[in-house]
Amino acid sequence: MQTTSKRTTGWVVMETLRGYGIDTVFGIPGTHNLEFYRPLGELGIRPVTTRHEQGAGYGADGWSLQTGKPGVVITTSGPGLLNALSAAGTAYCESRPMILLSPGPAIGAEFADVGTLHETKDQLSAASAIVEWGRRVTSAEEAVAAIHDAFELFGTTRPRPVYIEVPLDVLEQETELAAATTAPREIAAPAVADAAAIAQAATLLAAAQRPAILAGGGSRGASSELRALAERIGAPVVTTLNAKGVLDEQHPLAVGSSLRLQAGRSVAQDADVLLIVGSKLGEAELWVSELAATGTIIRVDLLESQITKNHRADVGLVGDATATLAALITQLGDGSPRDHAGAVGAASQARAAARAESTELSAVNTTLAEAIAAALPENAIVATDSSQIAYWGLLNTLRVSEPNSTPYMATYATLGYGLPAALGARIAAPARPAFAVVGDGALMFSMNEFITVVEQREDVTVIVVDNGGYAEIKQNELDAGIAPVGVDLAQPNWAAVADAFGGTGRKVTTATELAEAVSAAVTAGGLQLIHIDQATFDAAQGA
């Protein structure tokens, strides 16, 4: 059957998105949102139907991290939207662009409380409490304008999710809206910091004896500028988890994403001039209440409200990271680059100290993470979850060469993120091997998306580290004097589960078997699962 062309409000909304380069959307078709789906085939937009709206949101986030465009999530009204709000919360906390589209009650039917399908007291307010802004439109013109406004937000200020609600009668209404109205608008160039402030910052950096750079998520689009600046002033670079890879972690000045470890924080704390780029320095990234750096502080951020967030700033540079770092480099001029020997030595010492500290915190997870990192192919995308193998292991040991290579959510710290994010990343970057490395508790939140991987005919390898349940919470209970309760969880036959979904499952017990399994998985493609029983693996390694 061929879809009937019908230029409804839903059609022009999707047409507008396509003009901005959106070629993939995530969601679940429902009774009320069909007009968003009608034009997808004609517009050349790929629909990814997940098995839960939360998975749609995390898939969209993984896709967004690879493309630089906002992830688009289509839900139905009521429960569909509410299911996606955890993903919206993640995008808000991690400052990532996302557009949530949902139908709403027809105009005049708000708060009717008459028992209509998916009736929800006030879904607009529910969503608006989570996102940067929520908007209920009343016409096709307003719906399209909301899309344009969203892209202006993403292009000019801190990117965070938005919610657009289209009343059902408006969504289904045909429109004569001109194609020129849906065409993408030119977005203003991002702001550059004040010239006087840039000159002051450049003077401080040029005179510094022990400069250092702390790069946060706001620096992810400024890799080349950050590298050039670090080399120009001879500064070691430590990053947050959201900025992991913004400086190639094989670079001699790269400390890595070890800000959560004292070894990483010390690089920033001991600098006589510290340049902080695009980070609010929250405790979720620091693992302590404050950074407490002692030197002169220069901070770069898109928002003036962030310049003194969680830490003082002696010089504030309000502007886009890419443009502002480029201006700093220009201001520093073509003078001889600083001798790197001291900074390279400091970075090397910090990396070694971070490795030792990671082992002290969790020898089991550090050793296993090193085995996983050694087995992974070059240029892999490795999505993770709020699992011990991630934050106590892999994110400390894996060294990546590009930003957004380890999709993660350090602040929101949810479970169920890794698998759908890996799928979204693979769709966006099909030339890169895609992995999800997660704990057993986290995978239980999203294992329904196994079938989405199979259905989409994508290649995703899941490495599930089975420690028998919620191991960290179990330790928290013990530390609090509580006998373990609700944390020792029954486990399925993980390899058989993958097989049942149409993939291939394997269980490994040694580092050699792990390396062989990863190689076989990448070669075979499709859905692949590698199960590591942590206790058995540890015993085999003599841990």
Side-chain angles (χ1 to χ4, degrees), residues 72 185 217 322 455 482-483 519 523 539:
V72 175
R185 295 177 182 172
T322 302
E455 184 175 75
I482 301 170
S519 178
T523 300

Side-chain angles (χ1 to χ4, degrees), residues 279-330:
S279 176
K280 63 177 171 287
L281 302 176
E283 65 175 49
E285 284 278 19
L286 296 171
W287 281 14
V288 293
S289 58
E290 61 178 348
L291 178 63
T294 57
T296 299
I297 308 297
I298 303 167
R299 294 186 69 170
V300 178
D301 204 281
L302 268 173
L303 300 181
E304 187 170 1
S305 61
Q306 298 295 103
I307 292 295
T308 57
K309 183 71 66 71
N310 293 323
H311 203 290
R312 65 180 170 83
D314 298 293
V315 179
L317 303 180
V318 180
D320 170 73
T322 302
T324 300
L325 294 184
L328 268 175
I329 294 167
T330 299

Side-chain angles (χ1 to χ4, degrees), residues 361-379:
L361 282 170
S362 179
V364 165
N365 283 290
T366 300
T367 301
L368 176 54
E370 288 179 332
I372 293 172
L376 292 171
E378 187 177 354
N379 202 33

Side-chain angles (χ1 to χ4, degrees), residues 17 23 104 171 217 225 246 248 261 266 355 370 414 420 427 429 434 438 440 443 490:
L17 287 168
D23 61 10
L171 181 66
E225 291 79 10
V246 69
D248 183 345
L261 305 177
S266 292
R355 167 62 173 82
E370 288 179 332
T414 186
I427 291 170
V438 298
D440 59 279
L443 186 53

Side-chain angles (χ1 to χ4, degrees), residues 17 93 101 115 130 174 179 196 233 284 293 300 315 337 339 342 356 396 399 477 483 489 515 535:
L17 287 168
C93 280
L101 297 172
I130 305 296
E174 293 191 67
I233 64 175
V300 178
V315 179
D339 179 13
N396 296 333
R399 298 174 74 182
E477 290 178 345
L489 306 180

Side-chain angles (χ1 to χ4, degrees), residues 172-197:
E172 297 176 345
Q173 194 173 67
E174 293 191 67
T175 176
E176 298 296 327
L177 201 63
T181 307
T182 68
R185 295 177 182 172
E186 185 175 349
I187 297 173
V192 183
D194 174 73

Side-chain angles (χ1 to χ4, degrees), residues 317-398:
L317 303 180
V318 180
D320 170 73
T322 302
T324 300
L325 294 184
L328 268 175
I329 294 167
T330 299
Q331 185 69 38
L332 284 163
D334 297 326
S336 299
R338 189 191 307 272
D339 179 13
H340 288 186
V344 167
S348 177
Q349 290 175 11
R351 289 194 300 269
R355 167 62 173 82
E357 189 177 344
S358 181
T359 301
E360 184 178 351
L361 282 170
S362 179
V364 165
N365 283 290
T366 300
T367 301
L368 176 54
E370 288 179 332
I372 293 172
L376 292 171
E378 187 177 354
N379 202 33
I381 296 171
V382 186
T384 58
D385 233 295
S386 190
S387 302
Q388 287 184 319
I389 187 58
Y391 53 77
W392 274 5
L394 197 63
L395 293 170
N396 296 333
T397 59
L398 177 65

Side-chain angles (χ1 to χ4, degrees), residues 196-219:
I198 287 173
Q200 182 183 5
T203 298
L204 290 168
L205 290 169
Q209 297 302 305
R210 300 183 316 280
I213 298 174
L214 191 164
S219 70

